Amino acid sequence: MFHLPFPVHDANAQGGGKDLGDLPEWDLNDLYTAEDAPELKRDLDWLEEACASFATDYEGKLVDLDAAGLLDCVLRNEKINQVAGRIMSFAGLRYYQVTTDADRAKFMSDCQEKITNFTTPLVFFTLELNKLPDDHLDKLLDQNPDLARYKPVFDRIRAMKPYQLSDELEKFLHDLGVVGDAWERMFDETIAGLEFEVDGEVLGIEGTLNLLTDPDRAKREAGARELATVFGSNVKTFARVHNTQAKEKEVIDRWRGMETPQTGRHLSNQVEPEVVEALRNAVVEAYPKLSHRYYELKRKWLGLDKMQVWDRNAPLPMEDPRIVDWPTAETMVMDAYNAFDPRMGELAKPFFNKGWIDAAVKPGKAPGAFAHPTVTNVHPYVMLNYLGKPRDVMTLAHELGHGVHQVLAAGQGEMLSSTPLTLAETASVFGEMLTFRKMLDNAKTDTERKVLLAGKVEDMINTVVRQIAFYDFECKLHAARRGGELTPDDINDLWMSVQAESLGPAFEFMDGYETFWAYIPHFVHSPFYVYAYAFGDGLVNALYAVYAEGEDGFEDKYFDMLKAGGSKHHKELLAPFGLDASDPAFWDKGLSMISGFIDELEAMEG
């Protein structure tokens, strides 16, 4: 319940050391001033007592509460979430600043353990809530508008009602969760321990994956071949992890009566299976006009007869390796946000001048980038590893979008502010699109425009096409596992069946590429998570198309959408824009934006 976001790995991060200007660092004092701060001890003591008294006051008694009593219960639960969330945010963010510091790691682990122990007695809350008869709960909601505000929370919890087991079995599964976690940890530790030797240098996985974006083709090939060699020699371990995780999921899903392996993910994303199916089908049908067409262009630019897998993320030959210093990046993003609506600029400003961003690349700092909302009575914190590449400016625009969204949604309170994964990317991708359009408008030459367009198309293909191919691979993997144990070759075959289809005829696949499923963490940590990326990107593209058409009052509707946080379903949120995600044409609207960019790139070829 109180886990921090898994830091998003960015395969493009490189060692910096350039003069990027004055890079901001976090000031975590708004959470706590130190790990031994008296306020932190006070909150931990309060939390222990609050959880115990909550269990004493309410366990076995939810059915007897009137509307006012249930509202008090919900508010107490929300306050517990807020205090626990504040403590874990502080411990986690300190750790991500220097992951190699043993004291910070211990502090985070100790906090997590205490909070898990304190909150274990609260497991009854959702179980009992789901036992309340529908008409009883509806009557209470009708009687009290303050309680009715939490209906989306009850709906979310009660979506699991048909799949809930007995209290005893639920507690058993809760306790057994640590076994599944151990397989995840084994995967993480195996990946982290892999060593790759390229040109006499020993690298970890981040550094080796980074070679796939090197301008030197020989280096890219050496990196790809070494990845294949090392994955190949560890493939039995990775196959064992996937077999076990998929089997564990199948057993739990079967006991719960889940209709498909994807059902649990759709429920937590608050999205209907047919909507995901419409997205998946629209993307797969669009492969020829998106990835196949773009990679054919890229093959020509690179002067190749055939693209190899190590050319997919190669920089373009006409790319200018310019460096964007921090003040310039700030100006670019703030100009784009202000041009959309000055209110957006106002919301973004404090991130830059109040210590809400940690930008520099530092030894021991977690890789990648994220925006962590902390809790609704503090503010979000953004983490970057800023190296001054144009793509880093886009990452800043993206994470700042999350931050603005989180600030606006905070008004909903702890239980209603967070959006499901499918909607969580809305403001981030939209902020990125605003910044991209601004950079495109300011492009001085055709070459600069071409590089910007190609970079955007690559990002979109990686977000939409690649993630839907990943989703198809997972669907095939879980279906196949239901028929029995899968050998490494079985899994390799499933992987290749989606790769060739999604990347298209411009590619040849080297021996060894069939094992590249092995390192994708989402397959192990959060099955079927990947389609949310494509959902978010497609949704924003459709939304941006409405904005570009000059929709009247778009900005106000957009702010209302972000302020809603998780209090409304995607159907309600999109209705004011005349959009509906369950309509297959909705996804085509978003995909046609990508193909429009490719049209422009083709036209530039003359």
Side-chain angles (χ1 to χ4, degrees):
M1 186 172 11
F2 306 108
H3 289 292
L4 277 161
F6 186 69
V8 180
H9 123 137
D10 167 15
N12 301 307
Q14 292 170 348
K18 305 165 188 94
D19 185 18
L20 299 171
D22 199 6
L23 294 170
E25 287 195 357
W26 279 335
D27 175 358
L28 297 178
N29 286 346
D30 291 343
L31 291 163
Y32 297 102
T33 51
E35 61 180 76
D36 56 359
E39 295 80 6
L40 181 60
K41 185 184 183 314
R42 177 202 67 202
D43 284 356
L44 276 166
D45 292 345
W46 179 89
L47 193 64
E48 183 173 21
E49 199 284 317
C51 291
S53 61
F54 184 90
T56 305
D57 294 348
Y58 294 115
E59 190 161 12
K61 301 169 191 169
L62 287 195
V63 69
D64 303 321
L65 297 174
D66 60 10
L70 185 57
L71 177 63
D72 277 346
C73 172
V74 168
L75 293 173
R76 279 174 65 178
N77 184 61
E78 189 165 45
K79 177 79 174 151
I80 285 169
N81 281 335
Q82 190 172 69
V83 173
R86 187 181 196 127
I87 294 166
M88 276 321 299
S89 294
F90 177 68
L93 293 174
R94 275 183 84 252
Y95 168 70
Y96 288 149
Q97 279 183 303
V98 198
T99 58
T100 47
D101 181 328
D103 290 339
R104 291 182 186 224
K106 175 178 161 47
F107 178 69
M108 181 172 81
S109 189
D110 289 349
C111 286
Q112 180 75 68
E113 204 166 297
K114 280 178 187 163
I115 286 173
T116 302
N117 291 340
F118 296 165
T119 55
T120 295
L122 309 186
V123 172
F124 80 89
F125 180 61
T126 52
L127 302 180
E128 278 191 38
L129 208 51
N130 280 349
K131 286 183 186 159
L132 298 180
D134 290 342
D135 54 349
H136 173 74
L137 184 60
D138 290 344
K139 200 169 80 187
L140 295 183
L141 294 173
D142 288 344
Q143 290 169 3
N144 189 317
D146 290 336
L147 182 64
R149 203 173 82 74
Y150 288 93
K151 184 178 186 308
V153 178
F154 295 134
D155 288 347
R156 249 194 325 263
I157 293 169
R158 287 166 77 83
M160 277 300 288
K161 188 178 175 181
Y163 310 105
Q164 189 168 299
L165 300 168
S166 69
D167 289 8
E168 197 173 20
L169 268 176
E170 285 292 346
K171 284 177 179 167
F172 172 71
L173 285 178
H174 181 81
D175 284 352
L176 201 64
V178 297
V179 180
D181 290 351
W183 283 95
E184 288 179 34
R185 214 160 56 241
M186 179 182 168
F187 169 82
D188 290 344
E189 286 168 5
T190 305
I191 286 283
L194 295 180
E195 289 188 344
F196 304 84
E197 191 173 329
V198 185
D199 297 337
E201 189 183 357
V202 176
L203 300 166
I205 188 144
E206 291 274 345
T208 315
L209 287 168
N210 192 45
L211 291 175
L212 300 181
T213 62
D214 198 279
D216 179 349
R217 190 165 193 238
K219 267 202 171 146
R220 295 199 303 274
E221 179 177 354
R225 292 201 181 280
E226 179 65 0
L227 285 166
T229 302
V230 175
F231 292 156
S233 55
N234 288 275
V235 75
K236 283 185 177 167
T237 303
F238 290 121
R240 167 66 43 236
V241 170
H242 280 68
N243 268 293
T244 308
Q245 290 288 75
K247 183 62 185 174
E248 182 194 39
K249 181 166 173 36
E250 186 272 321
V251 170
I252 293 171
D253 286 351
R254 178 159 37 87
W255 274 78
R256 290 196 181 284
M258 297 253 176
E259 295 81 358
T260 70
Q262 299 85 350
T263 300
R265 176 61 61 199
H266 298 337
L267 283 169
S268 66
N269 283 343
Q270 295 155 58
V271 65
E272 302 72 23
E274 58 274 15
V275 172
V276 179
E277 199 55 23
L279 161 67
R280 182 256 167 215
N281 293 341
V283 174
V284 172
E285 277 164 32
Y287 285 169
K289 67 174 188 184
L290 299 180
S291 44
H292 297 189
R293 202 158 56 111
Y294 174 73
Y295 288 129
E296 183 53 31
L297 274 174
K298 186 163 185 176
R299 181 188 68 74
K300 286 183 196 154
W301 292 334
L302 293 171
L304 301 170
D305 293 331
K306 273 284 185 189
M307 294 258 283
Q308 301 290 344
V309 289
W310 56 82
D311 299 316
R312 190 173 64 83
N313 285 324
L316 301 177
M318 60 280 195
E319 215 166 299
D320 171 19
R322 71 194 173 102
I323 293 300
V324 184
D325 65 21
W326 180 257
T328 309
E330 180 180 343
T331 304
M332 284 160 89
V333 175
M334 286 299 289
D335 283 355
Y337 276 32
N338 276 314
F340 170 72
D341 191 303
R343 288 173 291 179
M344 190 119 131
E346 281 300 304
L347 289 161
K349 204 156 90 187
F351 283 86
F352 290 99
N353 55 30
K354 290 198 168 171
W356 299 4
I357 299 179
D358 199 300
V361 176
K362 286 173 283 204
K365 183 174 169 179
F370 61 75
H372 180 50
T374 73
V375 282
T376 54
N377 58 350
V378 187
H379 56 75
Y381 283 91
V382 165
M383 194 190 86
L384 306 169
N385 278 280
Y386 189 81
L387 295 160
K389 289 177 290 185
R391 189 160 278 182
D392 294 341
V393 180
M394 300 305 257
T395 304
L396 168 62
H398 181 100
E399 300 306 340
L400 205 56
H402 278 308
V404 165
H405 194 172
Q406 290 158 358
V407 170
L408 284 168
Q412 295 289 344
E414 222 56 52
M415 288 166 85
L416 283 163
S417 61
S418 66
T419 48
L421 284 176
T422 39
L423 295 166
E425 295 298 321
T426 308
S428 53
V429 179
F430 196 85
E432 214 179 315
M433 185 61 85
L434 291 172
T435 306
F436 166 70
R437 294 285 186 171
K438 193 87 178 156
M439 289 165 84
L440 205 57
D441 291 345
N442 293 339
K444 308 254 189 316
T445 63
D446 276 358
T447 304
E448 198 180 327
R449 187 176 176 84
K450 185 195 271 192
V451 169
L452 280 168
L453 275 170
K456 187 67 180 160
V457 169
E458 289 211 4
D459 284 348
M460 288 168 138
I461 286 174
N462 280 335
T463 306
V464 178
V465 170
R466 186 167 161 77
Q467 303 301 333
I468 289 300
F470 282 177
Y471 176 66
D472 274 359
F473 165 71
E474 286 190 275
C475 292
K476 289 180 173 189
L477 177 84
H478 284 266
R481 181 64 184 90
R482 291 185 167 204
E485 176 92 8
L486 301 173
T487 66
D489 284 344
D490 292 335
I491 305 178
N492 292 347
D493 290 344
L494 296 176
W495 174 254
M496 291 312 292
S497 73
V498 300
Q499 289 300 305
E501 181 192 20
S502 64
L503 292 174
F507 278 92
E508 260 180 13
F509 297 96
M510 65 168 187
D511 286 346
Y513 182 66
E514 64 275 7
T515 59
F516 273 48
W517 52 269
Y519 78 95
I520 313 286
H522 297 93
F523 299 157
V524 175
H525 283 281
S526 34
F528 306 110
Y529 180 107
V530 289
Y531 76 75
Y533 290 118
F535 192 108
D537 209 86
L539 184 148
V540 171
N541 291 345
L543 200 59
Y544 195 90
V546 174
Y547 170 59
E549 286 156 14
E551 166 89 0
D552 202 33
F554 180 92
E555 291 81 357
D556 286 339
K557 291 179 192 172
Y558 180 72
F559 278 107
D560 287 343
M561 181 187 192
L562 299 190
K563 281 178 189 161
S567 69
K568 288 182 178 173
H569 186 263
H570 63 79
K571 237 178 169 55
E572 286 176 273
L573 289 174
L574 291 171
F577 302 97
L579 297 170
D580 176 6
S582 59
D583 174 4
F586 168 83
W587 299 110
D588 292 334
K589 196 181 183 83
L591 296 172
S592 65
M593 179 182 282
I594 310 177
S595 60
F597 288 159
I598 302 173
D599 291 344
E600 191 176 337
L601 284 167
E602 282 184 338
M604 289 170 118
E605 293 303 285

